[in-house]
Amino acid sequence: MRVKAQVAMVMHLDKCIGCHTCSVTCKSTWTNRPGTEYMWFNNVETRPGPGYPKQWEDQDRYKGGWEYKNGKLRLKAGGPMSKLKNIFYNPNMETLDDYYEPWTYEYEHLIKSPKSEHLPVARPKSQITGKYIDKPEWGSNWDDDLAGGSEIVPMDPNVQKLQEHIAMEYEKTFMMYLPRICEHCLNPSCVASCPSGALYKRDEDGVVLVDQEECRGWRFCMNGCPYNKVYYNWNTHKAEKCNFCYPRTEAGLPTICSETCVGRIRYIGVVLYDADKVKAAASVEDPQDLYEAQLDCFLDPFDPEVIEEAAKAGINNEWIKSAQESPVYKMAMKWKIALPLHPEYRTLPMVWYVPPLSPIMNHVTNEEELKTDGYIPTVDQMRIPIEYLASLLTAGDTDVIRKVLLKLTAMRVHMRSVSVGGIDELQESKLLTEADIDVETIEEMARLLGVAKYDERFVIPTGRREMDDDLHYKQGACSIDDLAPPEGMVTYPFERRKGS
Amino acid sequence: MEGIFWWVIVPYLTLAIMIIGSIYRFTHNQLSWVAPSTEFFEKKWLRIGSPLFHYGLLFAFVGHVMGVLIPLEFYHMFGISDHMYHAFAIYGGGVAGLMVVVGAVILLIRKMTIDRVRVHATFADFYSVISLLIVAGIGVYITLIYNTTVVEYEYRTTIGPWFRSLFTFQPQYQLMTGVPFLFQLHIIAAFGLFASIPFTRLVHFYSVPIVYPFRAPQQYRSRSAFKRKGI
Ligand code: HEM
Ligand code: SF4
Ligand code: SF4
């Protein structure tokens, strides 16, 4: 057993209101420099839809993540030898157009325009070339709230896989928000794709980072990450990615996206896992078994043996206590209501999602008299097709999704009977057995999902500073000193650009 | 005297700038040590230009090792006649050189005409590509045209020994004085390119990731000693 700690996140999709606050606060913290205009370490996409970058889930094209072939786990885009062969031109890499050409508006003109017959306007101007863009045609949220409708929705790779036709008539259509950050995977393919070894997973908290000094811009990580969450900075010619706001988490604070989340959908906590199990878990044959295999890697933070091994691995008491109180452990591992995004990529992602409930398609008549058991079939009639959620969260396994939705439904039914009354005793119904849950858990769940306060949603131990070997040297130093990409334009003699 | 300037002072000065400059940049400015990729902006032309150019360079590099670093006697020892050598050098070198030239022309045109690439190209970027094009252009000309129409010049008795003598610190500059002008120009232009390396993104070639196939796929590092890789 090789115990490692991972700081992980759960997002409760039912509560996301698609306000993009998380994206904006993240952007103004991390990607507001030249070269990073198009980057959104956190983005919120409306699904169904192509997402950002366009159709990132189309791995036939980007060749992200891992594949299991002939009894071996290998990078889908090809191993080291094939990467060296393709180093001069990476055939699978996305380009700016797969994201969008970032632009600003010429606001100056509003102030400086000479007197004229018509009102002055601020024209859009490319942040890449500085030229006017007369007609912006795509952006990071171009299809927000299904804008673009039946023209853009079919670009969603999940929709293309679905057997059944997705209705686009207003009364029948569905929609959900999917906020995305880097998954800080247990088996990160970005790390394995990097020829320079500049990407790495931190021992202490599992955060996946790019060493800005060692990155040589070979750009295989970009499409190597199946979630397309590594970005190419055209200014520094190096890769950048979400760093889980580690200067904040090291201080015990949640990431910026979580701190500012309006819907309070985000939870952060520590989980302990056995690093020796990771490779085997990523190598199970059937993609639908990956979810269970990943769950098997996690360790029970209350198990004395685990605690002992963790201590040997240098994980201190504060971290173990946090792991015991971790909301992520509860939701993803104990109650099993949070699921990993696209487990079939075999990276063992560590941002977990509670799937959203959605209105029932057919009108439920005489709801007041509905017996609790009557709620069971409603799960299959929800607006968001179970198949669609399964395509996102369980490699197509609808049973797992159905069970989670039943748990959430049971929670609603029970909490409603507690506060409003009027529905028959849950204990005696089949809903509980089908959902495989008891009333005590339901009430605990309802508290964490519904009313938990800041310190219950974010249980983050501070960085283990006592492990630093040169604390004296680091006194007063900036925690992102060695790692941070430079501010402003990168210059070197003869490499100066106009206007920098 | 002129011989000393061009074939002793210039080469040593060039190598000094190249080596000291590169070491300085490597130790003081890692943040600027990168491959100048513009694939993010444009893929279609790069797909042809960049592999053509780089594979050409690799072949040309091997050719230069064969022609300049390996002594003539070595070939004779293995019974490779001068005629055989030159026939191979003309075909092999010609193809490699043409690959470099065609690739570089594509890259240069791409750099000049595609807005997104041009706007972010620096003086250094243009300098590298243009001087490479000049060096390779002269190289192709002497391999394919001069060698076949004027004289099959035996550089393995002049340029080769002179170049090797630089590394034993007993430069035999006299060997270079009788060398045809185009060969001399090729060499001086190449020195112009070498001296510019530390100031351009050409530094990327020092960092070919040859260790990549031999390392563990997953990299863990501890925060307290993040420069020390391990596990
Ligand atoms: C074998 C080692 C080398 C590797 C792995 C390598 C790799 C690369 C890569 C990845 C790019 C960026 C291509 C792109 O995506 O735009 C590039 C560009 C370039 N390389 Fe190399 N390179 C190597 C050797 C060299 C050498 C020896 C030279 C010349 C002396 C050279 C000259 C260039 C130039 C001029 C460019 C810029 C091309 C442009 O204008 O777009 N490279 N190289
Ligand atoms: S999601 Fe993050 S950790 Fe996982 S492969 Fe992508 S960049 Fe790497
Ligand atoms: S801030 Fe929260 S609620 Fe708003 S879009 Fe982001 S995740 Fe959703």
Side-chain angles (χ1 to χ4, degrees):
Chain A
M1 192 191 307
R2 191 153 55 102
V3 185
K4 279 189 194 288
Q6 167 93 31
V7 181
M9 188 185 284
V10 168
M11 300 197 204
H12 181 7
L13 294 183
D14 237 357
K15 293 194 286 180
C16 180
I17 56 173
C19 62
H20 303 282
T21 307
C22 44
S23 305
V24 171
T25 50
C26 171
K27 189 154 198 37
S28 50
T29 307
W30 294 112
T31 54
N32 54 356
R33 294 157 287 126
T36 64
E37 299 89 345
Y38 79 100
M39 297 181 197
W40 296 88
F41 290 172
N42 180 109
N43 76 291
V44 184
E45 42 202 53
T46 302
R47 304 318 288 280
Y52 158 90
K54 256 177 257 170
Q55 301 185 306
W56 58 271
E57 288 148 306
D58 183 357
Q59 302 310 342
D60 290 335
R61 175 170 167 213
Y62 297 116
K63 302 254 190 296
W66 305 85
E67 66 185 0
Y68 185 71
K69 237 186 180 170
N70 308 328
K72 266 200 159 142
L73 188 66
R74 44 161 260 160
L75 289 170
K76 199 174 169 76
M81 290 318 276
S82 94
K83 286 214 163 51
L84 288 186
K85 190 183 87 219
N86 285 329
I87 197 164
F88 310 120
Y89 167 78
N90 174 357
N92 311 312
M93 186 183 134
E94 51 276 56
T95 67
L96 186 67
D97 293 320
D98 295 314
Y99 295 86
Y100 68 105
E101 179 155 357
W103 71 87
T104 177
Y105 293 91
E106 199 183 27
Y107 297 108
E108 284 260 287
H109 183 67
L110 299 181
I111 302 163
K112 297 204 169 146
S113 155
K115 192 175 172 199
S116 63
E117 199 184 328
H118 301 291
L119 224 51
V121 290
R123 290 174 69 187
K125 210 174 186 180
S126 165
Q127 286 178 301
I128 300 292
T129 61
K131 292 191 172 173
Y132 290 115
I133 304 180
D134 284 330
K135 190 171 153 241
E137 283 180 356
W138 194 259
S140 55
N141 275 302
W142 203 254
D143 60 332
D144 209 18
D145 294 346
L146 293 190
S150 54
E151 245 173 73
I152 288 177
V153 163
M155 285 164 70
D156 183 331
N158 300 288
V159 169
Q160 292 170 358
K161 267 193 291 179
L162 283 193
Q163 298 297 322
E164 79 187 89
H165 169 73
I166 288 204
M168 271 293 126
E169 297 95 68
Y170 180 72
E171 304 79 36
K172 291 192 196 142
T173 188
F174 71 93
M175 166 186 121
M176 59 184 270
Y177 298 111
L178 184 69
R180 299 203 301 124
I181 62 171
C182 160
E183 305 276 341
H184 298 279
C185 308
L186 295 186
N187 185 34
S189 53
C190 58
V191 172
S193 299
C194 173
S196 334
L199 276 142
Y200 62 95
K201 191 165 177 68
R202 265 199 335 183
D203 262 342
E204 288 85 352
D205 52 12
V207 174
V208 175
L209 296 170
V210 187
D211 183 334
Q212 287 295 316
E213 298 211 324
E214 265 181 42
C215 173
R216 299 286 172 245
W218 302 126
R219 43 138 171 66
F220 285 115
C221 51
M222 276 194 85
N223 63 295
C225 165
Y227 303 91
N228 290 31
K229 278 290 169 191
V230 191
Y231 302 86
Y232 186 80
N233 180 325
W234 54 254
N235 169 33
T236 60
H237 291 274
K238 299 203 179 206
E240 289 186 33
K241 64 181 286 302
C242 157
N243 51 34
F244 214 79
C245 289
Y246 72 85
R248 287 177 59 89
T249 54
E250 279 176 11
L253 298 168
T255 63
I256 283 286
C257 54
S258 310
E259 171 85 49
T260 57
C261 176
V262 174
R264 300 184 175 183
I265 81 159
R266 298 185 188 223
Y267 300 77
I268 297 177
V270 174
V271 284
L272 302 178
Y273 70 100
D274 183 353
D276 285 336
K277 282 193 179 166
V278 166
K279 187 158 183 219
S283 318
V284 295
E285 186 143 15
D286 183 352
Q288 296 195 346
D289 293 337
L290 281 158
Y291 166 57
E292 283 294 333
Q294 181 171 4
L295 285 182
D296 267 352
C297 295
F298 301 108
L299 300 167
D300 178 359
F302 295 95
D303 181 346
E305 196 195 328
V306 170
I307 295 175
E308 198 189 315
E309 286 292 323
K312 273 192 218 151
I315 297 169
N316 68 21
N317 284 340
E318 195 202 346
W319 277 66
I320 291 169
K321 192 160 157 280
S322 301
Q324 292 170 342
E325 288 162 12
S326 165
V328 178
Y329 183 76
K330 285 181 198 150
M331 288 193 245
M333 291 100 207
K334 217 165 111 192
W335 305 332
K336 299 190 174 41
I337 52 170
L339 303 167
L341 182 62
H342 287 297
E344 71 273 22
Y345 299 158
R346 297 175 183 272
T347 60
L348 309 190
M350 287 305 289
V351 173
W352 301 68
Y353 292 90
V354 180
L357 292 172
S358 47
I360 292 152
M361 286 288 281
N362 303 320
H363 189 65
V364 179
T365 42
N366 54 1
E367 202 179 341
E368 302 81 56
E369 288 149 41
L370 194 66
K371 298 270 186 278
T372 306
D373 286 351
Y375 280 93
I376 296 175
T378 61
V379 167
D380 301 302
Q381 293 169 22
M382 288 184 178
R383 259 185 190 234
I384 305 178
I386 289 193
E387 293 77 20
Y388 187 80
L389 292 174
S391 169
L392 286 180
L393 300 170
T394 59
D397 189 342
T398 46
D399 291 346
V400 176
I401 298 282
R402 194 166 182 278
K403 197 150 175 199
V404 175
L405 294 182
L406 277 174
K407 283 183 190 178
L408 296 173
T409 307
M411 180 179 82
R412 291 214 163 178
V413 172
H414 176 68
M415 294 317 285
R416 184 168 129 156
S417 75
V418 168
S419 49
V420 192
I423 283 178
D424 62 9
E425 278 295 308
L426 192 62
Q427 264 97 327
E428 283 138 43
S429 82
K430 278 224 287 289
L431 188 54
L432 274 188
T433 31
E434 283 226 10
D436 188 17
I437 202 168
D438 55 64
V439 168
E440 203 183 322
T441 311
I442 282 184
E443 284 177 2
E444 215 184 320
M445 229 164 77
R447 173 167 178 84
L448 191 60
L449 296 186
V451 289
K453 300 293 175 227
Y454 192 88
D455 55 0
E456 287 167 79
R457 283 181 282 128
F458 308 123
V459 183
I460 309 166
T462 51
R464 287 177 262 156
R465 281 289 177 213
E466 71 281 6
M467 280 170 79
D468 277 13
D469 37 16
D470 42 10
L471 270 180
H472 181 69
Y473 172 77
K474 292 229 172 101
Q475 193 176 14
C478 167
S479 58
I480 55 172
D481 222 16
D482 300 315
L483 286 164
E487 291 275 339
M489 292 299 252
V490 172
T491 55
Y492 198 75
F494 309 112
E495 289 188 355
R496 237 169 273 273
R497 292 184 183 80
K498 285 160 260 145
S500 60
Chain B
M1 265 323 281
E2 216 179 293
I4 297 190
F5 178 75
W6 289 113
W7 311 115
V8 180
I9 298 180
V10 168
Y12 280 130
L13 207 58
T14 300
L15 291 177
I17 295 175
M18 178 177 149
I19 294 168
I20 297 171
S22 302
I23 293 176
Y24 181 86
R25 185 166 177 176
F26 190 79
T27 49
H28 286 73
N29 205 332
Q30 279 281 319
L31 285 175
S32 76
W33 194 281
V34 282
S37 178
T38 47
E39 182 168 349
F40 185 54
F41 288 146
E42 198 279 342
K43 251 177 120 83
K44 226 172 75 208
W45 288 106
L46 189 80
R47 177 181 180 177
I48 312 166
S50 180
L52 205 58
F53 170 78
H54 280 95
Y55 278 112
L57 274 178
L58 284 180
F59 296 144
F61 176 76
V62 174
H64 284 77
V65 169
M66 284 170 59
V68 179
L69 287 183
I70 299 177
L72 183 61
E73 296 75 31
F74 184 85
Y75 291 96
H76 288 169
M77 216 164 72
F78 285 89
I80 298 168
S81 74
D82 294 352
H83 181 72
M84 275 161 70
Y85 170 84
H86 281 285
F88 179 77
I90 287 171
Y91 287 116
V95 170
L98 279 177
M99 283 171 74
V100 176
V101 170
V102 175
V105 168
I106 294 175
L107 290 175
L108 186 62
I109 295 177
R110 173 179 176 273
K111 228 183 225 345
M112 294 191 305
T113 55
I114 299 194
D115 275 354
R116 289 174 183 175
V117 182
R118 186 187 61 247
V119 169
H120 298 294
T122 62
F123 171 75
D125 291 339
F126 276 111
Y127 183 95
S128 322
V129 179
I130 293 174
S131 60
L132 263 159
L133 197 54
I134 294 171
V135 175
I138 305 173
V140 170
Y141 181 82
I142 52 188
T143 311
L144 285 182
I145 317 250
Y146 188 89
N147 266 338
T148 52
T149 57
V150 185
V151 57
E152 197 170 87
Y153 183 66
E154 188 48 273
Y155 44 81
R156 289 180 297 168
T157 55
T158 52
I159 301 176
W162 159 76
F163 189 72
R164 293 194 297 275
S165 73
L166 289 174
F167 296 94
T168 53
F169 297 102
Q170 305 198 321
Q172 294 166 297
Y173 61 91
Q174 312 86 335
L175 287 173
M176 285 305 291
T177 44
V179 169
F181 175 69
L182 278 176
F183 282 82
Q184 293 186 337
L185 196 63
H186 179 67
I187 296 167
I188 296 300
F191 282 140
L193 176 67
F194 293 163
S196 77
I197 288 174
F199 311 102
T200 67
R201 296 214 185 86
L202 287 184
V203 290
H204 71 282
F205 84 85
Y206 291 115
S207 298
V208 213
I210 34 176
V211 292
Y212 178 38
F214 307 104
R215 69 137 222 254
Q218 293 307 2
Q219 304 280 299
Y220 294 97
R221 286 197 216 173
S222 156
R223 184 195 64 204
S224 59
F226 89 97
K227 281 292 174 197
R228 253 178 272 140
K229 301 180 190 179
I231 313 207

